[in-house]
Amino acid sequence: MDHPTTSTLLTWMTFLPLGGAALILPLLLLRASGAVTKELGDQICRVIALTASGLVLVLGFVLWRSFDPSNPALQFVQHGRWIPAYNIEYFVGVDGISITLVMLTALVSFIATIASMPWWPGNTHLDEHHFTQHGVPGYMAMLLILQTGMIGVFVSMDMFLFYVFWEVMLLPMYFLIGIWGGARKEYAAIKFFLYTLAGSVLMLLAIIGLYFNGPQELMDGRLVHTFNMIKMAQWGRAGGYAAAPLVLGFQFVRIAWIALFIGFAVKIPMFPFHTWLPDAHVEAPTPISVILAGVLLKMGIYGILRINYAILPQATKWAAAAMAVFGTINIVYAAFVCLAQKDLKRMIAYSSVSHMGFCLLGMSAFTQQGIDGAVLNLWTHGLISPMLFLIVGVIYDRAHHRNIEGFGGLAQQVPEYAGLLGLAFFASLGLPGLCGFVSEFTVFLGSLVQWQLLTIISALSVIITAAYYLWAIQRMMLGKLNPAYATMPDVNWRERLTLYPLGALIIVFGFYPKAIIDLIEGSLRNLILPLQ
Amino acid sequence: MSSIGLPHFLIVGAALFALGMVTVVTRRNAVGILMGVELILNAANLNFIAFNHFVATPGSLAGQVFSIFVIVLAAAEAAIALAIVLAIYQTFHTIDVQDTDLLRQ
Amino acid sequence: MEHELASQNEAVARAIEVSWLWLIPVFPLLGSALNAFLGLRLQRAYGKRVNHAIAVGAMLLSCMVAEIAFWKMFVAAPQDRFFENHLWTMWQSGSLQVDLSFGLDPLGMMMTMIVTHVATLIHVYSTGYMADEPAYWRFFMWLNLFVFSMLLLVMGSNFVVMFFGWEGVGLCSYGLIGFWYEDLTKASAAMKAFVVNRFGDFGFIIGLFILFWSLSGVWSKTNQYLPERGLGSALVRGTSPEPARVSGSGTTLGPTLEFRELRNQVSDESTGMADRLKGMTLWGFPVLALICILFFVGAAGKSAQLPLYVWLPDAMAGPTPVSALIHAATMVTAGVYMVARLNFLFALSPPAMTVVAVTGVLTALFAASIGFFQYDIKKVLAYSTVSQLGFMFIGVGVGAYWAGVFHLMTHAFFKACLFLGSGSVILACHHEQDMRKLGGLRKYTPITRWTYLAACWAIAGFPWASGFYSKDEILWKAWTADGLSAPWIGPAIYVLGAIAALGTSFYMFRSYYMTFTGEYRGHGGHEDKERLEDPHAMAAHSHADAAVQAPSSAAAVQQVAATDVAHQHDHSHSASPAHDDHGAAPAHDDHAHDAHGHGGEPHESPSSMTYVLAVLAFAAVVAGFVFGWPAAWGGGHEPALERWLAPSLPAAEHVKFRELGHGTEYLFQFFGLAIASLGWFAARVLYLDNQSTAPARLKEMFPRAWSVVFNKYYVDEAYQATVVRGSLVLSRILYWLDQNLIDGIVNGVGFVGRSVAYVDKVIDERFVDGAVNGLANLTWNSGKQLRRLQTGHIQSYLFGALGGAIAFVIIQYVIR
């Protein structure tokens, strides 16, 4: 085989959370039989979830330490037969593009798990209706399954496996929003689920098309197609897919590209497929918003890079201008929409839409800086947006609403919270010294050379971004203290444990983004070489 | 007028069968029905004998053998049937078949 | 080897790597971090002196290292005055390499010295001025962080570190303008400052990108970027890791963000880079002009030039030491510093230089005219700052880089002195900053009075103080400038600049006379003639309410603020006694005044403040002779500062000026003196001792013109109506579309799906399921019917059997 098994680390990382979820099941039986009380059962579930995601984080750290950034090829490969009839393999591995996202997933999941714990002192505001208090075993199991799905998507190198994980991830998300969400949770959950599912149907069709038009190899004495992404990419680069027969009079590569792209664009989310995101975010409980913004949105861009860019370079070149235009629309349009928001969480959700546009713009320029910036933006946005959603969670837990104009003057009542909010907001608006700036700068630098006008229009959004964040700060934090919140408690330890690590990382990567860029650069260089 | 042939035997057999049949169908008394059955059996015996005589290979005794079997069986049958009738009588205190309609349920 | 090459080519600057430059900014950073994380606890446990001991201590350490650096540079040979300290590579992507590295050349050194020393003085001053402030720790946290950012800005050896500082000072400015954030007006001013600055930053960063790419390739007519392999490092789209090309003189060619490498490529003519840049166009514009103008947009944002100056007057909402440090002495000069830093680029593009100089002079004139009629002493100084920054841009625009930078330096001294003097006055008069309520202070605050007067001399341009030397050098260079787009522009700039200088002299002495002479008018009486005879006296009250709110950002904020105005005042006074102003307009004074219930005479400020004033006044007077003694006055050499800066300003040699001889220069210097004296005389006549009624009568004669100028030409209102409201309306429209059109389509698809499903359901129930159920019913019913045949009567069965047999016979018979 081309990629012999070298490590089982990724398998451990992927399935460890699933193992945790499996542990929770017998517990449910025990609880039902009355052998353990509800309280004890809940606590055990929480410990299991925390341990599992903590272990994944440790493994992620090990992965990072032992990854060789000078080698742009796949590392930590594990190979195994799965469904030989269709030559489907269990094939996992990471390269520079995915390792950052695997680490990000481990980190964000751990943070989200901490944020789901009602343990730390000072949680007096938590009442029995808080989502951390009801349906704990189910919640924790869903969280763990979700984690398996997410890591699985990033490590799969077999397209079928990729698709399976992609779908695995959807279901727990649906339940997490639909059961533990806010007032319109059913609407939001169904919208999220159906929207993503509609995208993945197109994706599935394209994957099947790629399979049957793809390379063949001799296995057990017969010629079979393959789902192996590496082989498909080699085939694609060599022009194999470009030579495929026309489909309904259109080139196969273009049809396949568009189908895949729409599937991924829903996830990014790209204008005009973005409207599920604000609803899902607004209704989801805080840790789920954290995961949604921190990890799930990254999958769209990851998929485009991993499949569209690597396997269909000809069509990618053909569609570059469209991607750049959509990226620009995302950036500017969503920034303006943010300005009109009254709901803090909705504003931040739209700002995620805006920031994901940077990725599209950067990667459509096919410059090293542009694509480096785009992938770096996945990482930086993956740090900043979870922090933003945690910030929203803090205020929502206390005030039970998120109306920006319903606060006022909070800075003097909750100074520590105000400081953290300022850090997160300024990081998101791209203040130099915080990591958001680095990716914005690199993306714009890389894209300007190809799309001058679009880049300039997009760069204008930095003004709008500053305006809506500062205006939000002003309405919430400055001015006279709203007497309704004269006794609002400042952040507690649970919130500190989630916010401070993210804040520290935001600053560290603001001054040393090299740690990330060095990991990704080699693989991305290979990715865009055929595109230039 | 020709000599007596097969049709004459058959006519007598058919008449016997018809009478037996009518007895079976119309009588409400189980013993009566049993008698009808005997008539039908004897109609069959008559036909056996007749066909043996007129149709079968000369020297064959198949018809007579069958008849004897039938007579033996009829005797056995009558014995069993009368026993059943007795059992019915013990259960229903009647041997009127109109009243013994348990199968209907 | 290096030395040999250096001797071959003067234009190539070579760096001496040192390892300690980072110490200069790191102390303020540490001080800021200490105050941020522990400040409140320390303040509660040990009192405020711990907070300022940390902050001032950090500044002193930073000063010390800066002085050592200065000394090392001073003793080095001019070509060795380039210190660099590379800390680490922040990131690298293709041909882009961003280092966290500091560099000091004579220009940066000068700025560093100004920043560290003026900042230290202002820290000391603040210990007195802010003594009553409850959030003392927060103030010093921001102040130290500001110094750190400012040092990044001036010491950064590349564009990105400079930009870190550039936005960092913006952040600190935001935090300090909005220091008393409980007053929404002040918070809005802070937000306005940040957002307006972002316009500038946008220009800066786009200019930087175009510059970066222009260094390695060319832009074709269709705006396609053609990586040129012949010249530059030939990094194709920044991907190829090919080694960079090196020119004959040892200069690395190709895209770079480092100032020194850029300077070497551009000013070393043997590389051909300058000629190539001059020949390039993008969208039909010369690339070089585009880059420089975009950089200047950044500079205009930070340095409050037309049309982005609007934030600076509002920024006076911050505490007065902040106004002195950030909005006069250091941060706002960053734009001037940047243009001087990039002199080698600007000098290559006459259109860009013209844009800079013309914007500068227009700003100088425009802001001076607004300064005429302001009553708020800090507003006068704010518009004066805008105007003086315009002068600096004239200097760097016409190519007299050293003169612009010199004015930056003298301005740092005299304007800091003026602001701190006004702070002293405000404190003396119990937080009163309307000049109509001041007056006669020379009796009560003698030290403040003398230092203020010295600074007025300096800014107005009298030869016994420093401003004369810098301002007249700028105007003289403008008159003789020969490097602009057209020959008449230079003299035109001179004329406009001279008028602005006249205005400067007038309004500065106006503020001096109104504040320090006559009788103290702060006792609640209404002797104020101007006010009584003001035809707008009543109108101004309601109007000024709007004027305060209108510039302050967004519409919704206004509504909140407007309904809240009276409330805020009470609140801010009771909550924090140190608040030094009550919104920015004179109309608020009455009730502010009453609310204060201030008793007693004005008093001189504590010694921590007066010493600082004295030091700054001294610097404002002597800096002129020491650093700028004109060559025409003898001494046999160029001014000291010009010689010092020469290694940093390679373009200064290439910019052409007409040679007009010393006689003409003396004549122009005399003009300068005459203008300053005229302004002084006019102010003296009109405002000395508050005697003359002429100002009020003039106002009555031209009420409309007066109110247009008093209301700053309604520029803020215009911005409010167009840009701010425009974006808000656009945002609402887009959101509406998002909710109703795009999400409408999504929900519409959902609705169509459900409708189809409903129809489906009907079809399913009626037809498909109907058939199935029909069959079942049929079976059921027929079963029910057939059941009747089952009588249990053996005879009826026999009947049936018989009937069947007969039927068979008959059928067989019939069919056969």
Side-chain angles (χ1 to χ4, degrees):
Chain A
M1 267 186 235
D2 301 336
H3 293 279
T5 298
T6 54
S7 163
T8 56
L9 183 60
L10 292 177
T11 304
W12 280 104
M13 279 187 78
T14 311
F15 291 105
L16 216 147
L18 196 64
L23 277 181
I24 288 177
L25 280 181
L27 200 70
L28 275 178
L29 291 178
L30 283 180
R31 213 179 76 171
S33 68
V36 290
T37 60
K38 178 181 179 299
E39 284 71 29
L40 182 63
D42 287 356
Q43 294 295 27
I44 294 173
C45 291
R46 291 179 183 129
V47 172
I48 289 172
L50 206 55
T51 316
S53 56
L55 280 174
V56 172
L57 183 62
V58 171
L59 291 180
F61 190 74
V62 171
L63 180 74
W64 175 52
R65 296 307 302 171
S66 41
F67 185 82
D68 174 15
S70 60
N71 173 11
L74 275 189
Q75 302 180 36
F76 302 97
V77 174
Q78 188 175 3
H79 244 302
R81 281 190 167 195
W82 183 17
I83 307 175
Y86 299 100
N87 197 12
I88 294 169
E89 293 169 323
Y90 176 78
F91 177 21
V92 293
V94 286
D95 64 359
I97 307 170
S98 42
I99 182 165
T100 54
L101 294 168
V102 171
M103 282 154 46
L104 182 70
T105 309
L107 176 73
V108 170
S109 306
F110 186 59
I111 299 252
T113 314
I114 295 179
S116 313
M117 302 293 154
W119 282 343
W120 283 276
N123 279 324
T124 45
H125 62 277
L126 289 183
D127 51 25
E128 65 217 39
H129 305 300
H130 198 267
F131 75 91
T132 57
Q133 303 285 16
H134 73 93
V136 177
Y139 178 87
M140 294 297 163
M142 288 297 167
L143 203 60
L144 289 169
I145 296 171
L146 180 65
Q147 203 175 345
T148 290
M150 294 186 300
I151 296 182
V153 166
F154 290 132
V155 299
S156 314
M157 284 296 137
D158 183 277
M159 211 180 269
F160 190 84
L161 188 64
F162 174 87
Y163 186 78
V164 167
F165 278 123
W166 184 276
E167 296 295 321
V168 161
M169 188 184 69
L170 279 188
L171 210 61
M173 203 65 194
Y174 169 75
F175 285 120
L176 286 167
I177 297 174
I179 297 177
W180 289 273
R184 294 173 75 217
K185 56 193 180 184
E186 288 88 0
Y187 172 75
I190 290 174
K191 195 170 178 183
F192 162 80
F193 191 80
L194 289 185
Y195 222 135
T196 320
L197 205 65
S200 41
V201 165
L202 286 175
M203 201 170 102
L204 181 64
L205 290 177
I207 287 176
I208 293 169
L210 289 175
Y211 175 71
F212 283 113
N213 285 311
Q216 287 182 305
E217 58 188 7
L218 204 60
M219 200 182 83
D220 300 341
R222 63 200 175 93
L223 269 182
V224 285
H225 291 285
T226 178
F227 280 111
N228 184 322
M229 287 200 216
I230 305 294
K231 287 175 188 158
M232 288 168 115
Q234 284 163 356
W235 175 259
R237 283 189 185 197
Y241 289 113
L246 296 184
V247 180
L248 306 172
F250 296 100
Q251 285 185 27
F252 168 72
V253 275
R254 295 186 181 174
I255 296 271
W257 196 94
I258 291 172
L260 286 166
F261 185 73
I262 292 177
F264 294 130
V266 168
K267 206 71 168 193
I268 291 175
M270 187 189 81
F271 177 92
F273 306 119
H274 65 279
T275 50
W276 63 269
L277 184 77
D279 284 319
H281 267 311
V282 166
E283 300 309 328
T286 304
I288 304 311
S289 288
V290 164
I291 289 183
L292 192 57
V295 182
L296 259 66
L297 302 193
K298 277 58 191 181
M299 288 178 179
I301 299 288
Y302 173 77
I304 293 173
L305 288 175
R306 177 66 75 204
I307 298 183
N308 290 32
Y309 270 52
I311 297 179
L312 303 168
Q314 300 85 359
T316 307
K317 247 176 145 165
W318 162 75
M323 272 199 288
V325 169
F326 276 114
T328 307
I329 294 176
N330 252 34
I331 296 172
V332 178
Y333 173 86
F336 270 109
V337 172
C338 283
L339 200 56
Q341 295 308 314
K342 302 249 187 303
D343 183 323
L344 183 62
K345 208 170 186 184
R346 200 168 265 272
M347 183 188 94
I348 286 169
Y350 275 109
S351 92
S352 277
V353 177
S354 176
H355 281 88
M356 295 314 287
F358 291 136
C359 295
L360 277 175
L361 180 67
M363 63 202 239
S364 66
F366 306 143
T367 58
Q368 183 74 50
Q369 290 86 355
I371 200 158
D372 279 0
V375 176
L376 184 69
N377 194 41
L378 298 182
W379 174 260
T380 59
H381 182 260
L383 294 178
I384 295 169
S385 64
M387 184 160 176
L388 288 169
F389 281 110
L390 289 167
I391 290 278
V392 180
V394 172
I395 196 106
Y396 183 70
D397 284 349
R398 285 158 176 71
H400 302 290
H401 74 90
R402 291 179 302 255
N403 183 7
I404 298 175
E405 279 158 9
F407 301 106
L410 293 182
Q412 51 179 311
Q413 177 63 29
V414 285
E416 189 178 352
Y417 175 67
L420 289 164
L421 179 135
L423 177 70
F425 277 18
F426 276 101
S428 189
L429 67 78
L431 189 81
L434 305 174
C435 63
F437 166 75
V438 181
S439 48
E440 264 178 47
F441 181 91
T442 317
V443 161
F444 286 146
L445 180 80
S447 65
L448 181 107
V449 72
Q450 189 74 16
W451 318 109
Q452 293 98 38
L453 192 63
L454 293 176
T455 304
I456 289 173
I457 293 171
S458 305
L460 273 171
S461 77
V462 299
I463 302 163
I464 309 295
T465 311
Y468 67 72
Y469 274 125
L470 295 187
W471 195 24
I473 289 182
Q474 173 160 330
R475 286 180 286 174
M476 289 174 64
M477 293 289 148
L478 311 181
K480 241 173 65 65
L481 177 64
N482 184 339
Y485 303 113
T487 56
M488 184 184 271
D490 212 333
V491 285
N492 62 37
W493 272 105
R494 178 189 64 175
E495 290 148 358
R496 285 196 186 112
L497 276 173
T498 55
L499 289 169
Y500 277 99
L502 286 174
L505 287 174
I506 285 171
I507 296 174
V508 166
F509 288 108
F511 280 96
Y512 195 65
K514 196 169 190 290
I516 299 301
I517 289 198
D518 278 357
L519 293 178
I520 59 180
E521 196 180 9
S523 303
L524 291 176
R525 184 185 299 131
N526 285 354
L527 193 62
I528 54 168
L529 269 180
L531 293 166
Q532 291 189 335
Chain B
M1 189 106 189
S2 60
S3 64
I4 294 172
L6 184 60
H8 300 97
F9 286 97
L10 291 183
I11 288 166
V12 173
L16 260 181
F17 176 81
L19 288 172
M21 198 69 206
V22 168
T23 312
V24 167
V25 171
T26 54
R27 298 294 296 198
R28 299 174 67 174
N29 192 310
V31 179
I33 292 172
L34 216 55
M35 292 165 129
V37 171
E38 292 302 320
L39 280 182
I40 291 169
L41 286 173
N42 284 318
N45 281 345
L46 190 61
N47 279 15
F48 273 125
I49 303 292
F51 279 114
N52 193 54
H53 181 80
F54 290 106
V55 182
T57 323
S60 161
L61 289 175
Q64 281 86 339
V65 171
F66 265 109
S67 303
I68 287 168
F69 264 108
V70 170
I71 290 165
V72 172
L73 280 174
E77 177 247 328
I80 290 167
L82 283 171
I84 291 172
V85 168
L86 272 176
I88 288 173
Y89 182 76
Q90 277 166 4
T91 313
F92 296 92
H93 302 289
T94 177
I95 48 169
D96 186 338
V97 290
Q98 289 292 336
D99 298 334
T100 57
D101 54 357
L102 270 182
L103 258 180
R104 195 174 166 191
Q105 266 87 39
Chain C
M1 168 71 185
E2 271 209 356
H3 193 73
E4 254 173 68
L5 284 168
S7 61
Q8 280 169 8
N9 195 331
E10 287 285 321
V12 177
R14 247 151 263 289
I16 294 169
E17 184 72 27
V18 294
S19 59
W20 41 266
L21 285 186
W22 59 276
L23 287 170
I24 302 177
V26 86
F27 288 118
L29 178 64
L30 290 178
S32 171
L34 265 180
N35 263 333
F37 290 109
L38 302 173
L40 183 58
R41 262 168 258 172
L42 290 174
Q43 188 179 327
R44 280 185 185 151
Y46 304 104
K48 292 174 178 171
R49 60 181 193 282
V50 185
N51 300 114
H52 71 235
I54 292 170
V56 177
M59 284 314 304
L60 286 174
L61 286 170
S62 176
C63 267
M64 212 171 68
V65 184
E67 274 157 15
I68 293 169
F70 178 72
W71 178 249
K72 290 206 177 223
M73 191 176 281
F74 190 74
V75 296
Q79 70 271 19
D80 292 335
R81 286 175 180 167
F82 294 91
F83 296 168
E84 264 180 27
N85 182 6
H86 178 267
L87 294 184
W88 66 75
T89 301
M90 286 197 284
W91 78 96
Q92 195 170 11
S93 172
S95 53
L96 169 76
Q97 180 176 341
V98 183
D99 295 339
L100 184 64
S101 63
F102 298 114
L104 277 183
D105 61 351
L107 175 62
M109 190 72 242
M110 188 207 89
M111 285 296 287
T112 308
M113 292 298 277
I114 294 174
V115 170
T116 50
H117 287 78
V118 173
T120 308
L121 289 174
I122 290 175
H123 273 71
V124 172
Y125 177 94
S126 305
T127 62
Y129 189 84
M130 302 296 284
D132 294 334
E133 173 58 45
Y136 201 63
W137 63 277
R138 186 156 54 87
F139 182 78
F140 280 102
M141 184 270 282
W142 279 118
L143 215 53
N144 261 354
L145 191 63
F146 168 77
V147 176
F148 165 72
S149 309
M150 192 67 206
L151 286 171
L152 281 189
L153 196 163
V154 296
M155 292 176 64
S157 78
N158 58 48
F159 281 104
V160 174
V161 179
M162 186 194 216
F163 195 68
F164 271 54
W166 190 268
E167 291 242 333
V169 292
L171 171 70
C172 300
S173 167
Y174 172 79
L176 284 166
I177 296 170
F179 184 71
W180 289 312
Y181 56 78
E182 285 160 37
D183 183 347
L184 259 188
T185 319
K186 296 178 182 185
S188 321
M191 175 179 163
K192 181 174 172 183
F194 197 92
V195 174
V196 173
N197 264 299
R198 277 247 150 174
F199 276 96
D201 299 344
F202 159 77
F204 183 118
I205 210 117
I206 296 294
L208 175 58
F209 294 156
I210 298 179
L211 172 67
F212 181 85
W213 291 108
S214 302
L215 289 174
S216 70
V218 293
W219 306 91
S220 78
K221 286 207 164 53
T222 54
N223 302 335
Q224 196 75 32
Y225 177 75
L226 306 172
E228 198 179 87
R229 292 189 161 269
L231 189 83
S233 56
L235 298 169
V236 183
R237 298 271 176 80
T239 308
S240 153
E242 284 177 41
R245 218 194 83 170
V246 175
S247 82
S249 55
T251 308
T252 308
L253 294 182
T256 180
L257 296 175
E258 293 285 324
F259 292 123
R260 195 175 49 80
E261 288 174 14
L262 178 65
R263 164 214 165 109
N264 287 349
Q265 287 187 47
V266 172
S267 54
D268 176 0
E269 278 162 11
S270 67
T271 62
M273 188 58 87
D275 292 331
R276 226 166 59 85
L277 284 175
K278 277 185 205 165
M280 263 189 249
T281 56
L282 180 61
W283 303 308
F285 293 107
V287 159
L288 208 50
L290 202 63
I291 293 169
C292 291
I293 289 171
L294 282 167
F295 276 132
F296 178 65
V297 170
K302 196 86 348 209
S303 293
Q305 297 297 291
L306 283 176
L308 299 179
Y309 73 96
V310 286
W311 64 272
L312 186 56
D314 282 17
M316 296 301 126
T320 307
V322 170
S323 310
L325 177 62
I326 301 186
H327 306 119
T330 54
M331 182 185 89
V332 290
T333 59
V336 182
Y337 168 76
M338 181 181 72
V339 177
R341 163 71 66 231
L342 300 177
N343 60 80
F344 41 84
L345 276 183
F346 279 82
L348 293 178
S349 174
M353 287 176 66
T354 311
V355 167
V356 174
V358 168
T359 311
V361 74
L362 290 179
T363 310
L365 195 60
F366 181 79
S369 73
I370 298 177
F372 279 6
F373 301 124
Q374 296 300 314
Y375 291 121
D376 183 325
I377 185 167
K378 285 183 75 181
K379 283 268 157 118
V380 174
L381 293 176
Y383 282 104
S384 149
T385 304
V386 176
S387 170
Q388 296 301 307
L389 288 165
F391 277 106
M392 295 177 213
F393 277 109
I394 301 173
V396 295
V398 299
Y401 300 105
W402 89 269
V405 173
F406 183 32
H407 197 56
L408 185 165
M409 176 187 185
T410 57
H411 176 259
F413 295 138
F414 62 66
K415 189 51 66 64
C417 185
L418 286 169
F419 262 116
L420 296 184
S422 77
S424 177
V425 165
I426 290 164
L427 204 62
C429 298
H430 314 279
H431 307 290
E432 180 56 70
Q433 57 192 71
D434 185 346
M435 293 192 292
R436 289 168 297 187
K437 305 237 140 218
L438 302 172
L441 288 181
R442 66 181 157 187
K443 268 195 302 220
Y444 307 105
T445 60
I447 305 175
T448 307
R449 176 255 177 134
W450 280 111
T451 56
Y452 198 90
L453 183 59
C456 280
W457 286 331
I459 192 172
F462 290 97
W464 53 87
S466 60
F468 173 81
Y469 298 90
S470 49
K471 194 192 287 179
D472 276 275
E473 178 70 17
I474 286 171
L475 291 176
W476 164 246
K477 289 290 189 187
W479 178 265
T480 58
D482 206 13
L484 303 178
S485 294
W488 56 268
I489 294 176
I493 288 174
Y494 174 83
V495 173
L496 294 177
I499 297 170
L502 174 66
T504 306
S505 178
F506 172 75
Y507 67 69
M508 285 317 300
F509 281 104
R510 169 178 174 267
S511 78
Y512 170 75
Y513 286 121
M514 284 184 78
T515 308
F516 291 100
T517 64
E519 288 301 311
Y520 181 52
R521 299 182 290 274
H523 293 293
H526 281 283
E527 308 99 306
D528 176 11
K529 291 196 181 71
E530 279 207 46
R531 187 178 188 92
L532 288 173
E533 291 157 22
D534 182 352
H536 297 270
M538 289 318 291
H541 195 281
S542 59
H543 183 78
D545 248 326
V548 178
Q549 309 304 335
S552 54
S553 85
V557 180
Q558 275 180 42
Q559 289 161 5
V560 176
T563 55
D564 232 32
V565 133
H567 208 47
Q568 275 164 25
H569 279 279
D570 297 346
H571 181 78
S572 59
H573 289 294
S574 54
S576 35
H579 289 189
D580 71 345
D581 70 11
H582 322 284
H588 288 306
D589 308 331
D590 308 301
H591 64 262
H593 205 259
D594 300 339
H596 242 301
H598 61 86
E601 303 280 281
H603 52 81
E604 183 59 291
S605 303
S607 55
S608 59
M609 290 163 67
T610 49
Y611 282 136
V612 170
L613 285 173
V615 171
L616 283 171
F618 176 75
V621 171
V622 302
F625 323 121
V626 175
F627 298 112
W629 188 263
W633 290 12
H637 50 67
E638 299 296 307
L641 191 68
E642 188 173 0
R643 274 183 297 140
W644 171 258
L645 292 175
S648 295
L649 304 173
E653 293 168 24
H654 303 295
V655 181
K656 287 193 276 301
F657 291 100
R658 283 173 289 152
E659 298 290 336
L660 290 174
H662 287 332
T664 325
E665 195 173 341
Y666 293 144
L667 183 65
F668 274 84
Q669 283 170 347
F670 175 73
F671 279 163
L673 179 59
I675 285 166
S677 309
L678 185 62
W680 187 6
F681 180 71
R684 190 183 161 84
V685 167
L686 290 175
Y687 292 101
L688 178 66
D689 292 342
N690 199 27
Q691 295 294 329
S692 167
T693 54
R697 274 186 283 122
L698 281 173
K699 207 184 299 171
E700 253 171 274
M701 281 160 67
F702 306 104
R704 196 170 293 267
W706 183 86
S707 90
V708 167
V709 177
F710 180 78
N711 288 303
K712 306 142 200 166
Y713 302 104
Y714 297 105
V715 173
D716 280 319
E717 285 79 358
Y719 272 121
Q720 180 72 27
T722 53
V723 180
V724 176
R725 197 162 288 275
S727 346
L728 282 176
V729 167
L730 180 62
S731 77
R732 299 224 172 96
I733 292 172
L734 287 179
Y735 185 50
W736 186 87
L737 285 179
D738 201 65
Q739 289 295 289
N740 294 291
L741 185 67
I742 296 174
D743 212 26
I745 290 173
V746 174
N747 286 335
V749 170
F751 178 75
V752 169
R754 272 183 292 138
S755 311
V756 170
Y758 179 76
V759 172
D760 229 28
K761 177 188 157 202
V762 170
I763 293 175
D764 215 43
E765 283 176 356
R766 293 280 155 81
F767 300 99
V768 181
D769 225 22
V772 176
N773 284 340
L775 194 63
N777 282 343
L778 188 69
T779 316
W780 176 256
N781 290 333
S782 52
K784 227 157 111 185
Q785 297 300 321
L786 284 174
R787 193 170 157 207
R788 281 201 265 165
L789 292 178
Q790 174 91 348
T791 54
H793 298 157
I794 193 157
Q795 285 163 318
S796 52
Y797 299 162
L798 279 176
F799 247 138
L802 185 62
I806 292 170
F808 261 118
V809 171
I810 292 170
I811 287 166
Q812 191 162 17
Y813 188 78
V814 170
I815 288 175
R816 190 142 46 104

